[in-house]
Amino acid sequence: MAKEKIVFYCQSCGAESSKWMGQCPSCKEWNTLVEEVVSAKKGNKSISRQEIKAKVTKIKDIKTAEEARIPTGMAELDRVLGGGIVTGSMILVGGDPGIGKSTLLLQVCKNLADASRNILYVSGEESLQQIKIRAERIGEFGDSLSLLCETNLEVIGEIVKRDLPQIVVIDSIQTMYNETISSAPGSVSQVRESTGHLLQMAKGLGIAFFIIGHVTKEGVVAGPRVLEHMVDTVLYFEGDRHAAYRILRGVKNRFGSTNEIGVFEMRSFGLEEVENPSEFMLGGKPEGASGSVVACSMEGSRPILLEVQALVCRSNFGMPRRTAAGCDFNRVNLLMAVLEKRVGLKLGTCDAYVNIAGGIKMNEPAIDLGIVLALASSYKNRPVDEKVICFGEVGLSGEVRAVSMAEQRILEAKKLGFTACILPEAAKSALPPIDGIRLQAVKSVKDAIDLLI
Ligand code: TYD
Ligand code: MG
């Protein structure tokens, strides 16, 4: 008889503890430890020599076929995946509830069904009718997409083995359960065990699996974080629920680069790919307003132009308020200190609010110059020329430092009709000649402010 053991798992990071604690010692989240029963296996059976069938192989004897990739029919998704779905791989799509994960995967299923691929969509969250209603918004579906409403993994496993689809979508892993484990669906041990079970199927049968996982801040259901090390690819679907655009970001990818993003827009007929995110981000930029500057940030190999907005006003309290939306708060504080000390702006008595318009989050140091110029423009209440973009990292002594891929950034700005670009001096000297846009190199923040504001 297997002995039952009680273990406490952190629902946010998966850390294990033998007793309950208010705060997880590993990720420092509060109230996330949950009791789970694990049946201890008898582990005293040793393997006899005849039983070992596994063989070791020399690396140069292994033959690789050109790894087969299945295009998803969505260029943005293919880019994030590194060129399509690798057969036998496991892709985790995480994101907040309601962000559009089910919609994205149903659209992928539609494209794949149009290409006559055999697909199985397993839903543990919605009934067949509900999926059909959603599918009707997206469009006409081909014959090769089958739906299944089931949460028992053993049943799903049998159906997959019987039908052998090329691609399986599991929506969502938190609703799936394995009968051999007594804890509730969505708990760390269930989620982990279920993924392990699916992983064996994926590798054994060469079927690609998409797994949807919800992330919740309350830590009620085990976040997909505990699965990240098990799967091949981890994609996060993020964005403001109130804004229309969504960003698909690769966090881990065994078969491609992780710094690519895909941009989508949620429409009434499903998600639409945004081919030119810069144009999208700059839509609605005010004209002639102070505190608004266009900066350029790289996301993977793609330059994205975005509007940095700042509002600086006199503080009515002894302790000035500062907020940063879309960029790092500490970075904004640091840049304000640079402006105070190196340029002489009296920001110590001012409230300052910095915002990256569109709700996008950017943490690349290249937008430093944009933040600094937006702050200075708002402080002096003088607008910056609308046809100017800027990029560059700002150092503590007020110098503007070079950033990578200057040429791509300038070409993107030129494409969108900007006429001048403020860039670090060190970056300019390394550039090939580019015409059609005026390049103005600056050495320090002070130079840039003198030039523009
Ligand atoms: P959903 O894919 O159900 O989110 P998730 O699976 O991540 O929980 O989609 C959620 C939202 O998208 C929902 O609030 C409705 C909206 N939506 C549209 O705006 N247009 C559409 O065509 C569809 C299908 C959904
Ligand atoms: Mg869903």
Side-chain angles (χ1 to χ4, degrees), residues 97-103 121 123 125-126 134 171-172 212 214:
I99 204 80
K101 302 180 292 296
S102 308
T103 311
Y121 186 100
S123 179
E125 301 201 328
E126 289 156 306
R134 186 201 298 274
D171 185 4
S172 66
I212 294 183
H214 296 293

mmCIF file of all heavy atoms in Angstrom, residues 97-103 121 123 125-126 134 171-172 212 214, ligand 2:
data_model
loop_
_atom_site.group_PDB
_atom_site.id
_atom_site.type_symbol
_atom_site.label_atom_id
_atom_site.label_comp_id
_atom_site.label_asym_id
_atom_site.label_seq_id
_atom_site.Cartn_x
_atom_site.Cartn_y
_atom_site.Cartn_z
ATOM 1 N N PRO A 97 -6.576 35.709 -17.932
ATOM 2 C CA PRO A 97 -7.868 35.270 -18.477
ATOM 3 C C PRO A 97 -8.501 36.377 -19.320
ATOM 4 O O PRO A 97 -8.401 37.550 -18.965
ATOM 5 C CB PRO A 97 -8.710 35.008 -17.226
ATOM 6 C CG PRO A 97 -7.745 34.872 -16.112
ATOM 7 C CD PRO A 97 -6.556 35.675 -16.466
ATOM 8 N N GLY A 98 -9.098 35.992 -20.431
ATOM 9 C CA GLY A 98 -9.811 36.960 -21.262
ATOM 10 C C GLY A 98 -8.950 37.761 -22.200
ATOM 11 O O GLY A 98 -9.415 38.676 -22.855
ATOM 12 N N ILE A 99 -7.678 37.403 -22.305
ATOM 13 C CA ILE A 99 -6.781 38.197 -23.143
ATOM 14 C C ILE A 99 -6.915 37.772 -24.612
ATOM 15 O O ILE A 99 -6.601 38.540 -25.516
ATOM 16 C CB ILE A 99 -5.327 38.070 -22.618
ATOM 17 C CG1 ILE A 99 -4.486 39.257 -23.021
ATOM 18 C CG2 ILE A 99 -4.654 36.799 -23.061
ATOM 19 C CD1 ILE A 99 -4.710 40.439 -22.145
ATOM 20 N N GLY A 100 -7.373 36.566 -24.847
ATOM 21 C CA GLY A 100 -7.571 36.106 -26.227
ATOM 22 C C GLY A 100 -6.795 34.856 -26.606
ATOM 23 O O GLY A 100 -6.555 34.616 -27.785
ATOM 24 N N LYS A 101 -6.422 34.058 -25.627
ATOM 25 C CA LYS A 101 -5.649 32.840 -25.920
ATOM 26 C C LYS A 101 -6.471 31.838 -26.721
ATOM 27 O O LYS A 101 -6.003 31.292 -27.715
ATOM 28 C CB LYS A 101 -5.167 32.179 -24.613
ATOM 29 C CG LYS A 101 -4.325 33.076 -23.756
ATOM 30 C CD LYS A 101 -3.891 32.383 -22.488
ATOM 31 C CE LYS A 101 -5.023 32.091 -21.529
ATOM 32 N NZ LYS A 101 -5.700 33.274 -20.984
ATOM 33 N N SER A 102 -7.717 31.618 -26.264
ATOM 34 C CA SER A 102 -8.559 30.650 -26.976
ATOM 35 C C SER A 102 -8.836 31.140 -28.391
ATOM 36 O O SER A 102 -8.826 30.356 -29.335
ATOM 37 C CB SER A 102 -9.883 30.455 -26.249
ATOM 38 O OG SER A 102 -9.666 30.153 -24.907
ATOM 39 N N THR A 103 -9.051 32.448 -28.531
ATOM 40 C CA THR A 103 -9.321 33.009 -29.856
ATOM 41 C C THR A 103 -8.125 32.812 -30.772
ATOM 42 O O THR A 103 -8.265 32.379 -31.915
ATOM 43 C CB THR A 103 -9.649 34.510 -29.731
ATOM 44 O OG1 THR A 103 -10.631 34.672 -28.721
ATOM 45 C CG2 THR A 103 -10.150 35.081 -31.016
ATOM 46 N N TYR A 121 -8.936 19.916 -31.076
ATOM 47 C CA TYR A 121 -9.015 21.013 -30.116
ATOM 48 C C TYR A 121 -9.759 20.495 -28.893
ATOM 49 O O TYR A 121 -10.937 20.165 -28.971
ATOM 50 C CB TYR A 121 -9.767 22.189 -30.750
ATOM 51 C CG TYR A 121 -9.792 23.447 -29.922
ATOM 52 C CD1 TYR A 121 -8.917 24.483 -30.192
ATOM 53 C CD2 TYR A 121 -10.689 23.608 -28.877
ATOM 54 C CE1 TYR A 121 -8.929 25.645 -29.438
ATOM 55 C CE2 TYR A 121 -10.707 24.766 -28.114
ATOM 56 C CZ TYR A 121 -9.829 25.776 -28.409
ATOM 57 O OH TYR A 121 -9.844 26.930 -27.672
ATOM 58 N N SER A 123 -11.237 21.160 -25.287
ATOM 59 C CA SER A 123 -11.588 22.257 -24.406
ATOM 60 C C SER A 123 -12.147 21.714 -23.101
ATOM 61 O O SER A 123 -13.000 20.838 -23.095
ATOM 62 C CB SER A 123 -12.616 23.162 -25.072
ATOM 63 O OG SER A 123 -12.945 24.190 -24.175
ATOM 64 N N GLU A 125 -13.015 24.113 -20.877
ATOM 65 C CA GLU A 125 -13.613 25.332 -20.334
ATOM 66 C C GLU A 125 -14.943 25.661 -20.964
ATOM 67 O O GLU A 125 -15.809 26.227 -20.320
ATOM 68 C CB GLU A 125 -12.663 26.516 -20.564
ATOM 69 C CG GLU A 125 -11.333 26.301 -19.918
ATOM 70 C CD GLU A 125 -10.576 27.578 -19.689
ATOM 71 O OE1 GLU A 125 -10.758 28.489 -20.506
ATOM 72 O OE2 GLU A 125 -9.828 27.637 -18.705
ATOM 73 N N GLU A 126 -15.059 25.362 -22.259
ATOM 74 C CA GLU A 126 -16.276 25.773 -22.956
ATOM 75 C C GLU A 126 -16.972 24.553 -23.536
ATOM 76 O O GLU A 126 -16.324 23.554 -23.845
ATOM 77 C CB GLU A 126 -15.918 26.737 -24.093
ATOM 78 C CG GLU A 126 -15.471 28.080 -23.590
ATOM 79 C CD GLU A 126 -14.602 28.814 -24.592
ATOM 80 O OE1 GLU A 126 -13.601 28.245 -25.048
ATOM 81 O OE2 GLU A 126 -14.932 29.951 -24.917
ATOM 82 N N ARG A 134 -18.010 31.072 -30.965
ATOM 83 C CA ARG A 134 -16.761 31.809 -31.172
ATOM 84 C C ARG A 134 -16.237 31.571 -32.588
ATOM 85 O O ARG A 134 -15.816 32.497 -33.276
ATOM 86 C CB ARG A 134 -15.727 31.323 -30.154
ATOM 87 C CG ARG A 134 -14.441 32.123 -30.186
ATOM 88 C CD ARG A 134 -13.317 31.338 -29.570
ATOM 89 N NE ARG A 134 -13.535 31.030 -28.164
ATOM 90 C CZ ARG A 134 -13.208 31.847 -27.170
ATOM 91 N NH1 ARG A 134 -12.670 32.992 -27.436
ATOM 92 N NH2 ARG A 134 -13.416 31.497 -25.931
ATOM 93 N N ASP A 171 -7.044 23.348 -24.035
ATOM 94 C CA ASP A 171 -7.543 24.627 -23.508
ATOM 95 C C ASP A 171 -8.319 24.354 -22.235
ATOM 96 O O ASP A 171 -9.433 23.893 -22.277
ATOM 97 C CB ASP A 171 -8.446 25.266 -24.566
ATOM 98 C CG ASP A 171 -8.910 26.656 -24.172
ATOM 99 O OD1 ASP A 171 -8.474 27.132 -23.126
ATOM 100 O OD2 ASP A 171 -9.713 27.251 -24.918
ATOM 101 N N SER A 172 -7.899 24.573 -21.090
ATOM 102 C CA SER A 172 -6.589 24.949 -20.638
ATOM 103 C C SER A 172 -6.032 23.870 -19.729
ATOM 104 O O SER A 172 -6.796 23.034 -19.254
ATOM 105 C CB SER A 172 -6.738 26.247 -19.832
ATOM 106 O OG SER A 172 -7.489 25.942 -18.671
ATOM 107 N N ILE A 212 -2.725 25.780 -23.269
ATOM 108 C CA ILE A 212 -3.087 27.103 -22.768
ATOM 109 C C ILE A 212 -2.994 27.086 -21.254
ATOM 110 O O ILE A 212 -3.424 26.122 -20.613
ATOM 111 C CB ILE A 212 -4.513 27.459 -23.214
ATOM 112 C CG1 ILE A 212 -4.536 27.613 -24.740
ATOM 113 C CG2 ILE A 212 -4.992 28.742 -22.544
ATOM 114 C CD1 ILE A 212 -5.854 28.022 -25.301
ATOM 115 N N HIS A 214 -3.553 29.698 -17.762
ATOM 116 C CA HIS A 214 -3.910 31.027 -17.236
ATOM 117 C C HIS A 214 -2.907 31.452 -16.185
ATOM 118 O O HIS A 214 -2.411 30.636 -15.427
ATOM 119 C CB HIS A 214 -5.275 31.001 -16.559
ATOM 120 C CG HIS A 214 -6.384 30.679 -17.493
ATOM 121 N ND1 HIS A 214 -6.750 31.529 -18.499
ATOM 122 C CD2 HIS A 214 -7.179 29.606 -17.586
ATOM 123 C CE1 HIS A 214 -7.752 30.982 -19.162
ATOM 124 N NE2 HIS A 214 -8.021 29.814 -18.632
HETATM 125 MG MG MG B 2 -10.146 30.658 -23.040
#
